[in-house]
Amino acid sequence: VSVVPVHLFVAGHVAPSQFTKHEEKKGEVKISTLPEAEFKAAILRYNLVDEAILEVEEFSSMFLPIIRADLHLDEHYLYDDKGAAKGADKGAAKGTQTTTAQLPCPITAFSAKDDSAAPPHLVQAWSAHTQSGKLANHVTFPAISHEFLLKKSLELMEELSKTLLSGPLMRPWHVDLIRVAKIAPDSPAIANHTGPPAGCPSLSLGEFVRQAHNL
């Protein structure tokens, strides 16, 4: 079964194709490698966390390792444009879309005018990663930096809701479910990262639809 996203939302992050160039241009020490005191100062400087979280030791000890690990992944990311091109060629040869460098779904981006970590023009470059070649929407918040992710959360949720309520996710869910069940009836009805609990067999999609029909 070919499973593809119906819409991608990105916020406060440059496009993958621009990321390595942007990090090299900044030329800064990687935040994830800093000692704790400097690490706290850096994430506050870039508005990556609410200061209130760092003021409570219980919250600080819980969230700082998560933030550091997240930044480590982010700062060590390398975009392989040659590999992406090979993937696109491979997908074209097979007549499929699953290995192409571009997504088949629309992309909506969010940025802030004064965000040095993710300048709007580099966020706009996400358009190169969708097959349409353009963003479905790019919302840029004026007079604010990276903290827009926290301070504009209501506006972000409103934009997400408007897009979701007007898009393909509003199709009757059971129609898509039955369609997929016909294609791959033996697929698991519920995906679980750790697998089904001991003694609890997984339910196939075909059996799930059959039982639902008999209700």
Side-chain angles (χ1 to χ4, degrees):
V1 181
S2 178
V3 179
V4 295
V6 295
H7 204 107
L8 174 64
F9 297 92
V10 296
H13 205 292
V14 303
S17 56
Q18 302 297 316
F19 185 69
T20 304
K21 300 173 188 176
H22 183 52
E23 288 299 297
E24 289 174 348
K25 184 177 180 181
K26 284 164 59 179
E28 298 177 355
V29 175
K30 295 188 185 325
I31 297 175
S32 61
T33 65
L34 296 173
E36 186 164 321
E38 295 177 42
F39 180 69
K40 288 181 178 179
I43 61 177
L44 284 175
R45 185 171 67 251
Y46 282 106
N47 297 295
L48 298 178
V49 66
D50 192 319
E51 188 172 1
I53 291 178
L54 300 184
E55 293 174 351
V56 180
E57 179 59 31
E58 182 180 359
F59 290 155
S60 179
S61 61
M62 181 187 304
F63 286 107
L64 279 182
I66 298 173
I67 297 171
R68 187 185 290 274
D70 185 52
L71 284 171
H72 177 83
L73 289 174
D74 197 60
E75 292 176 331
H76 290 80
Y77 172 79
L78 292 175
Y79 177 72
D80 183 5
D81 54 347
K82 294 180 180 178
K86 290 179 181 178
D89 293 340
K90 185 178 180 181
K94 289 185 176 181
T96 66
Q97 295 182 341
T98 55
T99 54
T100 62
Q102 297 171 315
L103 292 171
C105 68
I107 297 177
T108 292
F110 301 93
S111 62
K113 186 176 184 297
D114 300 328
D115 188 357
S116 60
H121 71 283
L122 295 184
V123 176
Q124 177 65 32
W126 276 96
S127 60
H129 298 278
T130 179
Q131 291 177 1
S132 68
K134 61 182 180 180
L135 296 178
N137 193 15
H138 183 182
V139 179
T140 301
F141 295 97
I144 195 169
S145 184
H146 201 70
E147 71 272 16
F148 83 94
L149 293 168
L150 298 172
K151 295 184 177 180
K152 297 294 184 180
S153 58
L154 291 179
E155 289 89 338
L156 288 170
M157 287 188 286
E158 182 180 357
E159 288 294 333
L160 262 68
S161 297
K162 285 195 302 185
T163 301
L164 294 176
L165 290 173
S166 61
L169 288 182
M170 290 307 292
R171 288 197 303 259
W173 65 270
H174 61 280
V175 174
D176 282 340
L177 185 65
I178 293 172
R179 178 181 61 80
V180 175
K182 288 180 178 179
I183 298 172
D186 295 328
S187 297
I190 299 175
N192 191 313
H193 289 297
T194 59
C200 179
S202 60
L203 186 68
S204 71
L205 194 54
E207 180 62 17
F208 175 81
V209 170
R210 187 188 69 77
Q211 292 184 19
H213 180 73
N214 291 334
L215 292 177

